[in-house]
Amino acid sequence: MNDTTICAVGNVATQPMYRDLATGPSARFRLAVTSRYFDREKSVWTDGHTNFFTVWANRQLATNVAASLSVGDPVVVQGRLKVRTEVREGQPNWSSADIDAVAIGHDLARGTSAFRRANKQETATSPPRPEPNWETPGGDSAGDSDADSVTRADSADQHRAEPLVVT
């Protein structure tokens, strides 16, 4: 996988937009990331250039983003960076930096947050899962035939040790 993964720390710049699409829930918002540096001449911290990213969240992450984030919240976003450039006739070139988010959370270095688990809803499209067969035949080798396994299982039942009684 040759994706560029990044971790961006910044503030939510626009209200998250939630949409329920045919492929599942999707949400997006703009993230403002401002660099800060120490100005030695003035002996103060100074804001540098601000970069804006469009953050895309899908499925359960999108639902949780819509319920948890609002404008101004300090967040940490981890995901795949995608930079797009578009040439338009008669207009200057247009570029966009998007983050396809894998994880989003509040920045606890700048405040507190209360975590609540989301209710997982079973989807109607997922097929029912069969119960696993936890009982295994007495044989250890994978190439045993069913008849050999049954014979060994029957003989194992006959040779079970009696429980010891301590008085």
Side-chain angles (χ1 to χ4, degrees), residues 1 11 18 24 27 43 45 48 55 57 74-75 78 90 97 99 102 104 106 111 115 118 136 140 142 153 160:
M1 184 179 270
N11 292 322
Y18 176 84
S43 295
W45 284 94
V55 178
V75 292
Q78 182 180 359
I99 300 174
V102 174
I104 302 172
H106 285 109
F115 182 78
T136 57
D140 290 356
R160 280 197 189 142

Side-chain angles (χ1 to χ4, degrees), residues 5 10 13-16 24-26 35 37 43 46 48 52 59 62 67 72 76 83 100 104 114 125 148 150 165:
T5 56
T14 61
Q15 188 62 33
S26 179
S35 64
Y37 65 94
S43 295
T46 306
F52 287 92
R59 295 176 289 285
V76 179
V83 178
D100 187 13
I104 302 172
T125 58
D148 291 339
V150 170
V165 180

Side-chain angles (χ1 to χ4, degrees), residues 16-77:
M17 299 291 294
Y18 176 84
R19 291 189 178 165
D20 211 357
L21 304 174
T23 57
S26 179
R28 69 176 166 90
F29 64 92
R30 298 282 285 166
L31 176 70
V33 178
T34 303
S35 64
R36 290 182 54 88
Y37 65 94
F38 188 74
D39 188 348
R40 293 181 188 203
E41 294 173 3
K42 298 176 185 176
S43 295
V44 294
W45 284 94
T46 306
D47 286 342
H49 180 74
T50 301
N51 292 309
F52 287 92
F53 299 94
T54 301
V55 178
W56 294 91
N58 296 305
R59 295 176 289 285
Q60 187 65 43
L61 181 59
T63 304
N64 294 342
V65 161
S68 303
L69 299 183
S70 59
V71 175
D73 285 353
V75 292
V76 179
V77 176

Side-chain angles (χ1 to χ4, degrees), residues 138-149 152:
D140 290 356
S141 58
D144 289 341
S145 69
D146 289 339
D148 291 339
S149 297
R152 267 196 298 274

